[in-house]
Amino acid sequence: MQAPYTNLKTHHKWVEFSAEDTTLNLSNASVEQLQEWKQQLSAEYDNVLARKLNLDLTRGKPSAEQLSLSDAMDGILAGDYITASGIDVRNYGGLEGIPEARAIGSDILGVPVENVLAGGNSSLTLMYQTMAIAHQFGLAGEGSAWSQEGTVKFLCPVPGYDRHYSVCEHLGIEMLTVAMTSTGPDMDQVEKMIAADPSIKGMWCVPKYSNPTGVVYSDETVERIANLGNIAGKNFRVFWDNAYAIHDLSDNPVALANIFEACKAAGTEDSVIQFASTSKVTHAGSGVAFIAASDTNLKFFKLALGFMTIGPDKVNQLRHAKFFAADGALSAHMAKHAAIIKPRFASVLKHLEAAFSDNDLGEWESADGGYFISFDTRPGLAQKVVKLAGDAGVKLTPAGATFPYGKDPQDSNIRIAPTVPTVDQVEEAMQVFVLCVKLASVEQALANS
Ligand SMILES: Cc1ncc(COP(=O)(O)O)c(C=O)c1O
């Protein structure tokens, strides 16, 4: 069995105390030593309080500088509203989206165009709609609605994305947690749970640069997820939210195996539904979202969608298609995003390395893409660290947000989102973050001594 995510990290040496160049070896420290550290750290913390900072590491959204990369989309149609195949995008219709937009989704997700629908601005909306449709009407026709089978449960790899949990909660779907490992969800646990409980109807997955751990699912994990449809009942659906499919920071990004192909090989095409969007590619509030699925899933999705809309915003879809029309335009555009984000990630990682690579005060994964870095404090300290940082003017995502029902059983996970602040602001915020982790850890050790 895979070790849990939190046990896989390798940062276990002793830290250098910033002010005194002192090693913060909490486990072996005497009470006197702990008291002395507490005094020093508290004095530093008081200095920070006096600076009345106002910094924010909560928001997983593009910075204004990133948004500006796509401003040329504005006016790009220049009065030409007709697609290559003659569709007037100003008019009603075209439930599946225009072919050019579906082609972008096909590129991002590695799925044939026929199996991709290009929708409105939000993949979260598509996920909500898909889940609501699966629950109430079913994605495989007569008799496939989850609601007909009583209790419905979903597997949630943790830590994960809070809005996935909100969708389940809103639709009355129970959530069961599964540990994340450095290769994806703990698949031994997943397979065991699904085999034992037919009321588990699906699982959330963010397979590349997972929110918040940054983990990319290994080839073996992808293959095992594709095979889940052979273990679970026919109405089981993995929600494969590939929100960060093209959001690489490294020049040699790890490739994610193609789940569509893997499902085909396993004979489970209906068991996985994929999602993506250009929210963090172009303008976050006015991108294009995609759903990719088997012919059957797409047929029943569209059947229900047809009651909700006559068609998506095709004008915006055509703007995107024109913006990315040139060969290589999309990857060149993503490289510009990476150039902006990279120094922010580097700053976060630099501070974590310097403060915690030599001790057991915190653990993290260094992500090569996506929008987040996930940090685990010693158990029982996340809420305290978030409060200390907040009081010192550094806003962090509320502790617990990365777990269903907002409850982190270990109270240790904190999501760091460094894209919006400037590099200088990230630097300053991380100094405070590190200080708060140290202070909370020393106070806890003192209380337990
Ligand atoms: C994993 C994940 N999925 C979906 C979204 C939202 O996507 P959209 O803007 O397409 O609704 C986010 C936004 O942070 C996300 O992190």
Side-chain angles (χ1 to χ4, degrees), residues 60-61 120-127 161-164 205-206 208-211 241-244 275-280 284-285 288-290 371-372 415:
K61 58 186 195 182
N121 72 320
S122 163
S123 62
L124 191 67
T125 303
L126 292 174
M127 291 179 234
Y161 179 40
D162 55 349
R163 288 183 187 272
H164 287 164
C205 290
V206 183
K208 194 166 167 192
Y209 309 131
S210 199
N211 177 350
D241 177 5
N242 208 345
Y244 301 105
F275 304 91
S277 77
T278 68
S279 290
K280 289 175 181 126
V288 177
F290 309 100
Y371 267 58
F372 306 103
R415 187 184 82 165

Side-chain angles (χ1 to χ4, degrees), residues 265-279:
T268 57
E269 291 94 324
D270 291 340
S271 70
V272 175
I273 303 175
Q274 303 190 53
F275 304 91
S277 77
T278 68
S279 290

Side-chain angles (χ1 to χ4, degrees), residues 355-379:
F356 306 121
S357 64
D358 280 1
N359 64 28
D360 64 353
L361 268 60
E363 299 176 322
W364 65 96
E365 290 279 348
S366 66
D368 275 340
Y371 267 58
F372 306 103
I373 288 161
S374 172
F375 183 86
D376 288 316
T377 64
R378 287 180 150 200

Side-chain angles (χ1 to χ4, degrees), residues 235-258:
N235 292 330
F236 179 84
R237 297 289 183 278
V238 172
F239 279 46
W240 190 260
D241 177 5
N242 208 345
Y244 301 105
I246 53 172
H247 302 63
D248 306 304
L249 292 179
S250 150
D251 296 334
N252 297 304
V254 183
L256 174 72
N258 186 314

